[in-house]
Amino acid sequence: MGEFKADPRQGKIDLGVGVYKDPTGHTPIMRAVKAAEARLLETETSKSYTVLAGEPAYREAMAKMILADLYKPELTATLATVGGTGALRQGFELARMGSPEMRVFYSDPTWPNHLSILKWMGVETIPYRYFDNASRGVDFEGMKADLAQAKAGDVVLLHGCCHNPTGANLTVAQWKEIAAVIAKTGATPMIDLAYQGFGDGLEEDAQGTRIIVESFPKC
Ligand SMILES: Cc1ncc(COP(=O)(O)O)c(C=O)c1O
């Protein structure tokens, strides 16, 4: 990002981070964020410590936003982390506590940090077919065939919506099939939901996650 900023050439294109930019290359602050900031400034009364797992009201609101009617407090654990990358690290560590020999199946390609975190942790990673260069869509048959190779104790890492880096997403019917394939293997699904609301809408983008939650009542 630093090199890009310093590069004086006209017409340069930033392929480093996937954030919205207007035609002048500026990333504006969304009106809703500005309004929320103003409201916070008006109403907050303390900046004292909250509980270590993060502000309970925030955690509950997030769980409800993702799970809607499927939210069951007795089956849901929430934790505020330092960014999505911190959440992934915590999630992988938790999964390994439950399954020390786990292998992680990841979509080919996936967001690069998935692999650098897992490499650092010394976890075996196995790619599953995902993007089909010819059709510019999901290689669904390849994906199903590769995921069928998982076994109990493994983790299947899925992107909840707006697949990064391909932007190719599963349909609702495909999510259901994938849930059934994973359930048959006994592996545990893990979903990286980084962009809820950036694709088709807040509810639509959570559909895949909700299908997985319904299919794995005890996960
Ligand atoms: C799929 C995916 N997961 C997680 C993250 C990490 O989010 P954060 O920047 O909050 O660490 C990103 C960021 O680009 C991402 O694309």
Side-chain angles (χ1 to χ4, degrees):
M1 286 170 78
E3 278 178 31
F4 177 81
K5 215 169 173 176
D7 193 322
R9 282 174 289 180
Q10 292 290 322
K12 59 186 179 178
I13 297 172
D14 184 359
L15 300 177
V17 286
V19 296
Y20 173 79
K21 290 190 176 169
D22 66 18
T24 67
H26 177 63
T27 300
I29 302 171
M30 292 162 114
R31 279 196 309 274
V33 173
K34 274 288 191 199
E37 282 176 341
R39 203 183 298 167
L40 266 183
L41 203 61
E42 279 291 307
T43 57
E44 71 181 350
T45 54
S46 173
K47 287 195 186 291
S48 176
Y49 274 111
T50 182
V51 296
L52 280 182
E55 185 58 32
Y58 170 75
R59 284 159 40 210
E60 189 185 20
M62 291 301 285
K64 285 182 175 165
M65 185 177 86
I66 298 166
L67 300 174
D69 294 346
L70 297 172
Y71 172 58
K72 293 197 186 78
E74 69 280 13
L75 288 179
T76 310
T78 54
L79 186 71
T81 59
V82 182
T85 309
L88 285 162
R89 177 68 191 263
Q90 297 272 8
F92 289 139
E93 293 280 4
L94 180 69
R96 187 164 64 175
M97 271 185 224
S99 179
E101 303 303 321
M102 75 169 180
R103 304 173 301 166
V104 174
F105 283 64
Y106 67 92
S107 65
D108 182 18
T110 195
W111 186 50
N113 286 20
H114 289 153
L115 297 177
S116 37
I117 296 169
L118 290 164
K119 186 175 171 192
W120 173 254
M121 287 173 63
V123 170
E124 186 183 346
T125 51
I126 300 175
Y128 61 82
R129 276 170 280 175
Y130 189 79
F131 192 64
D132 175 26
N133 268 322
S135 68
R136 296 277 179 228
V138 178
D139 175 0
F140 192 57
E141 293 309 314
M143 179 183 186
K144 280 192 296 183
D146 290 349
L147 290 185
Q149 305 304 312
K151 57 180 172 36
D154 288 339
V155 166
V156 173
L157 179 61
L158 301 156
H159 294 220
C161 65
C162 311
H163 183 276
N164 186 3
T166 71
N169 298 307
L170 300 176
T171 63
V172 166
Q174 287 174 331
W175 272 106
K176 288 184 180 157
E177 273 193 63
I178 289 299
V181 170
I182 301 172
K184 209 167 163 192
T185 66
T188 302
M190 176 170 169
I191 300 176
D192 181 0
L193 182 65
Y195 306 112
Q196 185 182 355
F198 288 5
D200 299 320
L202 210 52
E203 298 304 316
E204 293 85 342
D205 292 351
Q207 273 180 318
T209 303
R210 292 175 190 166
I211 288 165
I212 294 287
V213 170
E214 274 181 311
S215 312
F216 293 81
K218 291 195 180 150
C219 269

